[in-house]
Amino acid sequence: MRVSGKKGVEAFFQERRKWDRPNMVINPIGTLVIHDGKQWVCAPWIESFMMELRGELDRFPEPLVMLSIPAEKKKAGKWDLVLLESGLSKYFGKRDFLWPEDPPLRAVVALENIGYPPSVWPRVYVDVIPDRIKNTFNDGNLDKPGKVIYWRPSDAAIKSMAYFGVKWTDREDDLLDIERVSFAGQPEDVISVFWT
């Protein structure tokens, strides 16, 4: 193997390993993006939210924010439509927001019943689906995150999940016994409990 080719392979695997320890894993459906009844759009407060959260992550020169799509891989093509229609990708590669560089493919995972794959160990995991949080903690193959934020979904968020093909079931009480779970209702609540 040529030296340049070897370096490229090493860089590839180094990038993969880096994304095994993201600062945050977040389900964007019903949080960062919502369906307004006509199309997918970014949440109206998304810029201020991301800038505040980016400030929280300033201790890290390169914040790693992984998107966790609540869908089987074979149905994950829906996410491409959401990304295109909502315009979320316009925030990729911008220093003030959550993705200072364009995120690699590794930064997006599609899993219907759990929040992230066995190789990933996030500092913070944010989701609006109680079952995914519960399953993530009950799965013996997964490293437990440092913190979980259950973002209580609004009616608009629940409808957005339905548009995406996810049936939301009210199982919030099941999360009360999970020690690392914090509850949040508004974007500012998510930020306030991020490191507490």
Side-chain angles (χ1 to χ4, degrees), residues 14 28-29 44 51 77 97-98 117 119 126 135 138 166 173 178 181 193:
Q14 183 177 357
I29 305 297
M51 289 173 76
F97 300 112
L98 296 180
S119 61
V126 182
N135 292 340
N138 289 339
V166 175
D173 289 349
I178 301 177
V181 175
V193 300

mmCIF file of all heavy atoms in Angstrom, residues 14 28-29 44 51 77 97-98 117 119 126 135 138 166 173 178 181 193:
data_model
loop_
_atom_site.group_PDB
_atom_site.id
_atom_site.type_symbol
_atom_site.label_atom_id
_atom_site.label_comp_id
_atom_site.label_asym_id
_atom_site.label_seq_id
_atom_site.Cartn_x
_atom_site.Cartn_y
_atom_site.Cartn_z
ATOM 1 N N GLN A 14 -9.698 6.777 12.062
ATOM 2 C CA GLN A 14 -9.598 7.736 13.158
ATOM 3 C C GLN A 14 -10.891 8.564 13.256
ATOM 4 O O GLN A 14 -11.383 8.821 14.348
ATOM 5 C CB GLN A 14 -8.396 8.662 12.936
ATOM 6 C CG GLN A 14 -8.177 9.637 14.081
ATOM 7 C CD GLN A 14 -6.939 10.488 13.886
ATOM 8 O OE1 GLN A 14 -6.200 10.323 12.925
ATOM 9 N NE2 GLN A 14 -6.719 11.409 14.791
ATOM 10 N N PRO A 28 -33.705 14.267 15.990
ATOM 11 C CA PRO A 28 -34.132 15.573 15.466
ATOM 12 C C PRO A 28 -35.625 15.668 15.143
ATOM 13 O O PRO A 28 -36.153 16.768 14.997
ATOM 14 C CB PRO A 28 -33.304 15.708 14.188
ATOM 15 C CG PRO A 28 -33.107 14.300 13.728
ATOM 16 C CD PRO A 28 -32.993 13.465 14.979
ATOM 17 N N ILE A 29 -36.322 14.517 15.022
ATOM 18 C CA ILE A 29 -37.734 14.529 14.637
ATOM 19 C C ILE A 29 -38.594 14.959 15.827
ATOM 20 O O ILE A 29 -38.619 14.308 16.861
ATOM 21 C CB ILE A 29 -38.195 13.141 14.135
ATOM 22 C CG1 ILE A 29 -37.301 12.645 13.004
ATOM 23 C CG2 ILE A 29 -39.661 13.178 13.714
ATOM 24 C CD1 ILE A 29 -37.326 13.495 11.750
ATOM 25 N N PRO A 44 -38.954 27.005 14.912
ATOM 26 C CA PRO A 44 -38.748 28.462 14.797
ATOM 27 C C PRO A 44 -37.640 29.015 15.681
ATOM 28 O O PRO A 44 -37.065 30.053 15.371
ATOM 29 C CB PRO A 44 -40.117 29.046 15.193
ATOM 30 C CG PRO A 44 -40.825 27.945 15.910
ATOM 31 C CD PRO A 44 -40.307 26.663 15.349
ATOM 32 N N MET A 51 -27.211 27.974 18.989
ATOM 33 C CA MET A 51 -26.133 28.871 19.410
ATOM 34 C C MET A 51 -25.895 28.773 20.915
ATOM 35 O O MET A 51 -24.751 28.764 21.371
ATOM 36 C CB MET A 51 -26.450 30.306 18.991
ATOM 37 C CG MET A 51 -26.345 30.512 17.483
ATOM 38 S SD MET A 51 -26.908 32.130 16.922
ATOM 39 C CE MET A 51 -25.531 33.143 17.418
ATOM 40 N N GLY A 77 -34.614 6.548 4.296
ATOM 41 C CA GLY A 77 -34.680 7.473 3.168
ATOM 42 C C GLY A 77 -35.631 8.628 3.432
ATOM 43 O O GLY A 77 -35.492 9.708 2.844
ATOM 44 N N PHE A 97 -22.979 27.093 15.006
ATOM 45 C CA PHE A 97 -24.040 26.127 15.273
ATOM 46 C C PHE A 97 -23.438 24.785 15.709
ATOM 47 O O PHE A 97 -22.287 24.723 16.107
ATOM 48 C CB PHE A 97 -24.954 26.018 14.061
ATOM 49 C CG PHE A 97 -25.613 27.328 13.712
ATOM 50 C CD1 PHE A 97 -25.283 28.007 12.540
ATOM 51 C CD2 PHE A 97 -26.523 27.911 14.570
ATOM 52 C CE1 PHE A 97 -25.875 29.228 12.237
ATOM 53 C CE2 PHE A 97 -27.112 29.132 14.284
ATOM 54 C CZ PHE A 97 -26.793 29.793 13.111
ATOM 55 N N LEU A 98 -24.209 23.736 15.656
ATOM 56 C CA LEU A 98 -23.784 22.466 16.247
ATOM 57 C C LEU A 98 -22.816 21.658 15.402
ATOM 58 O O LEU A 98 -22.201 20.726 15.902
ATOM 59 C CB LEU A 98 -25.020 21.607 16.569
ATOM 60 C CG LEU A 98 -25.966 22.190 17.618
ATOM 61 C CD1 LEU A 98 -27.138 21.261 17.842
ATOM 62 C CD2 LEU A 98 -25.221 22.440 18.929
ATOM 63 N N PRO A 117 -26.042 3.006 18.310
ATOM 64 C CA PRO A 117 -25.529 1.635 18.179
ATOM 65 C C PRO A 117 -24.556 1.272 19.300
ATOM 66 O O PRO A 117 -24.074 2.143 20.025
ATOM 67 C CB PRO A 117 -24.838 1.657 16.813
ATOM 68 C CG PRO A 117 -24.474 3.075 16.595
ATOM 69 C CD PRO A 117 -25.525 3.903 17.270
ATOM 70 N N SER A 119 -21.480 0.575 19.454
ATOM 71 C CA SER A 119 -20.123 1.138 19.442
ATOM 72 C C SER A 119 -20.063 2.574 19.967
ATOM 73 O O SER A 119 -18.992 3.111 20.201
ATOM 74 C CB SER A 119 -19.563 1.106 18.020
ATOM 75 O OG SER A 119 -20.383 1.893 17.158
ATOM 76 N N VAL A 126 -30.431 12.899 23.892
ATOM 77 C CA VAL A 126 -31.685 13.654 23.940
ATOM 78 C C VAL A 126 -32.713 12.989 23.034
ATOM 79 O O VAL A 126 -32.438 12.751 21.846
ATOM 80 C CB VAL A 126 -31.476 15.116 23.484
ATOM 81 C CG1 VAL A 126 -32.771 15.915 23.594
ATOM 82 C CG2 VAL A 126 -30.356 15.787 24.274
ATOM 83 N N ASN A 135 -35.543 1.480 26.130
ATOM 84 C CA ASN A 135 -34.858 0.371 25.451
ATOM 85 C C ASN A 135 -33.346 0.554 25.439
ATOM 86 O O ASN A 135 -32.588 -0.409 25.538
ATOM 87 C CB ASN A 135 -35.365 0.239 24.009
ATOM 88 C CG ASN A 135 -36.806 -0.215 23.942
ATOM 89 O OD1 ASN A 135 -37.329 -0.779 24.897
ATOM 90 N ND2 ASN A 135 -37.452 0.034 22.818
ATOM 91 N N ASN A 138 -32.130 -0.477 28.798
ATOM 92 C CA ASN A 138 -32.312 -1.897 29.077
ATOM 93 C C ASN A 138 -31.468 -2.805 28.200
ATOM 94 O O ASN A 138 -31.383 -4.005 28.444
ATOM 95 C CB ASN A 138 -33.790 -2.284 28.926
ATOM 96 C CG ASN A 138 -34.645 -1.716 30.044
ATOM 97 O OD1 ASN A 138 -34.137 -1.372 31.106
ATOM 98 N ND2 ASN A 138 -35.937 -1.609 29.814
ATOM 99 N N VAL A 166 -43.774 7.453 13.030
ATOM 100 C CA VAL A 166 -43.485 6.998 14.396
ATOM 101 C C VAL A 166 -44.706 7.244 15.272
ATOM 102 O O VAL A 166 -45.183 8.370 15.385
ATOM 103 C CB VAL A 166 -42.271 7.751 14.992
ATOM 104 C CG1 VAL A 166 -42.051 7.355 16.447
ATOM 105 C CG2 VAL A 166 -41.030 7.497 14.162
ATOM 106 N N ASP A 173 -43.938 7.767 32.614
ATOM 107 C CA ASP A 173 -43.768 7.234 33.965
ATOM 108 C C ASP A 173 -42.698 6.155 34.021
ATOM 109 O O ASP A 173 -42.062 5.960 35.064
ATOM 110 C CB ASP A 173 -45.093 6.663 34.489
ATOM 111 C CG ASP A 173 -46.104 7.761 34.804
ATOM 112 O OD1 ASP A 173 -45.703 8.942 34.810
ATOM 113 O OD2 ASP A 173 -47.281 7.441 35.034
ATOM 114 N N ILE A 178 -35.338 5.779 36.057
ATOM 115 C CA ILE A 178 -34.006 5.776 35.430
ATOM 116 C C ILE A 178 -33.229 6.975 35.969
ATOM 117 O O ILE A 178 -33.580 8.131 35.722
ATOM 118 C CB ILE A 178 -34.109 5.833 33.892
ATOM 119 C CG1 ILE A 178 -34.905 4.619 33.381
ATOM 120 C CG2 ILE A 178 -32.723 5.848 33.277
ATOM 121 C CD1 ILE A 178 -35.132 4.619 31.881
ATOM 122 N N VAL A 181 -32.002 10.243 33.893
ATOM 123 C CA VAL A 181 -32.929 10.955 33.010
ATOM 124 C C VAL A 181 -33.367 12.278 33.639
ATOM 125 O O VAL A 181 -33.842 12.309 34.778
ATOM 126 C CB VAL A 181 -34.172 10.102 32.687
ATOM 127 C CG1 VAL A 181 -35.184 10.912 31.879
ATOM 128 C CG2 VAL A 181 -33.773 8.850 31.920
ATOM 129 N N VAL A 193 -30.517 21.953 31.741
ATOM 130 C CA VAL A 193 -30.172 20.683 32.399
ATOM 131 C C VAL A 193 -29.046 19.957 31.664
ATOM 132 O O VAL A 193 -28.684 18.849 32.055
ATOM 133 C CB VAL A 193 -31.404 19.738 32.514
ATOM 134 C CG1 VAL A 193 -32.493 20.399 33.314
ATOM 135 C CG2 VAL A 193 -31.916 19.287 31.150
#
